Amino acid sequence: MLAGSAGQHIARRAGLGAAQRSPRWTTDMNALTPEAQVQELRRQLQSLLDAAHANERKLDRFDALERRLIAVSSMEELVNLLLVDCRADFGLDAAELWLLDPEEELRRALPSLPMVKAPQLLDSHGPLRELFGAARMTRLIGPGPDAALLAKAFGADAGVRSAALLPLIRQGLLIGSLHLGSRDPERYDATSGTKFLDRLAAIAAIAIESMLNRERLRRAGMTDGLTGVHNRRYFDHRSLIEFSQAVRHRYPLACLFLDIDHFKAINDRHGHPAGDEVLRQVGGLILRSLRTGDLAARYGGEEFVVLLPRTDLAGAREVAERIRVMVQEAPFVTPEGGTVGATLSAGLAMLPTSATSFAELLSSADRALYEAKRAGRNRTVSDADAGTVNAATAAAS
């Protein structure tokens, strides 16, 4: 029994849950001949050596994972490493990453990142408290009284029977959790060590915080600080990419120019802080109206520009009208607690098949916006409608 106990000790010290465990031997050595005893001891020793070598290989993989976590250069690389590569390297059946995101920073950033599996973003600490309580320590859960937590950590359909739940803590704050799950009910149990899992959690938390800070800096360089949409500099760069893609692959590309009507009057009547609040809330309404892959930017002052790849004229008009109606119906809350009403005009243009530069599309949308303003504001006009609108306006005058 001594050799078997040593094998279990090696496995538990590994703390990975994936460590190779030597079998418990129950052979009665006294019932064997001296020669058979020697053979049995050799067999047990070989089993123990095999378990030790397997654990060594797993620890090598763990060390390699640590090095890769330290070296990641992007948020998508980090998430893919934790949820895809880690699962494959350690033979896991499930892996989940929960990240606290009360300010919705990640909700804005992650949809545009190429990830095989996305983390679950949390509005509050509530789900984390359900898993860890006040202790905030690594939990190894198998069949037993805490088994119900497995469905919360992985989903009821995952079939996970045992798991390691790792709290991610930085500077004393719980920022999320990493869940490693197995369908083997004995993979993780409360008697296993957590030394290496704790180390993995600490390094993962450092890497996540580093990537979040990097993402904040990256977004600060391409985001308008007031409205939360992209800035003019980023739009000028991205629009050329979208133009070349649309021309090369021959798919439709729509451009919207959106301008808040009588914005100067809002500033004059209610003050610039109220005007800023209108701009900020209009930016939020625009973002909520778009799909992943669409592009919105503040073009200058009270003017916004939107690019809609792979969108035809009818679809683009629907988006423009949805934004216009949302703005028209929104009560914009001012810093003093009052409300201000606002409307906007939209100019819409489609990329012509004969276009040789993006500037042509932008100019067409700008002209359509001018016609929307001339026709009375709070409306959507496309470059295809501009002639009709122009004639109707002239007739009315």
Side-chain angles (χ1 to χ4, degrees), residues 137-358:
M137 298 174 60
T138 295
R139 300 191 64 180
L140 302 181
I141 298 176
D146 294 325
L149 290 177
L150 297 176
K152 293 181 179 179
F154 297 93
D157 298 332
V160 171
R161 301 288 306 282
S162 67
L165 307 182
L166 286 59
L168 303 175
I169 300 172
R170 282 301 294 149
Q171 299 179 358
L173 299 176
L174 186 62
I175 63 171
S177 60
L178 177 63
H179 312 159
L180 310 177
S182 173
R183 294 191 179 97
D184 178 1
E186 297 182 356
R187 175 75 178 265
Y188 297 99
D189 64 70
T191 62
S192 297
T194 63
K195 175 181 177 181
F196 289 100
L197 290 171
D198 292 339
R199 180 176 173 83
L200 172 61
I203 294 175
I206 292 171
I208 289 170
E209 183 186 52
S210 175
M211 288 303 102
L212 288 176
N213 288 335
R214 183 179 298 187
E215 181 64 22
R216 290 185 186 108
L217 288 174
R218 185 183 72 85
R219 290 186 62 82
M222 64 183 196
T223 304
D224 177 63
L226 175 63
T227 63
V229 302
H230 292 300
N231 56 28
R232 172 77 175 271
R233 176 183 176 187
Y234 179 77
F235 176 81
D236 289 342
H237 167 73
R238 172 80 178 275
S239 62
L240 297 180
I241 297 174
E242 294 295 345
F243 169 76
S244 62
Q245 290 286 334
V247 171
R248 180 179 301 115
H249 299 291
R250 299 182 180 180
Y251 59 69
L253 177 63
C255 179
L256 306 178
F257 255 127
L258 310 171
D259 187 87
I260 300 175
D261 299 325
H262 302 298
F263 184 71
K264 183 177 183 301
I266 294 175
N267 278 334
D268 292 344
R269 186 175 306 155
H270 302 282
H272 287 276
D276 287 349
E277 194 60 26
V278 171
L279 284 170
R280 187 185 67 79
Q281 293 177 49
V282 167
L285 292 175
I286 292 172
L287 288 176
R288 286 202 292 274
S289 301
L290 303 182
R291 310 161 302 179
T292 299
D294 294 340
L295 172 64
R298 186 180 177 191
Y299 203 70
E302 68 272 23
E303 197 168 54
F304 297 83
V305 61
V306 174
L307 280 186
L308 304 171
R310 302 179 186 274
T311 306
D312 61 15
L313 178 60
R317 191 187 298 275
E318 181 181 338
V319 172
E321 277 296 287
R322 181 163 62 243
I323 295 171
R324 186 190 65 80
V325 171
M326 288 174 67
V327 170
Q328 176 183 285
E329 296 178 350
F332 296 99
V333 180
T334 67
E336 291 78 20
T339 59
V340 175
T343 62
L344 62 74
S345 301
L348 161 62
M350 300 299 301
L351 180 68
T353 55
S354 59
T356 58
S357 71
F358 178 74

Side-chain angles (χ1 to χ4, degrees), residues 5 22 26 50 62 64 77-78 94 110 123 165 192 194 237 288 321 324 337 367 381 391 396:
S5 299
S22 300
T26 57
D50 290 342
F62 184 82
E77 181 184 356
L78 174 59
L110 292 184
D123 297 325
L165 307 182
S192 297
T194 63
H237 167 73
R288 286 202 292 274
E321 277 296 287
R324 186 190 65 80
R367 286 194 298 271
V381 173

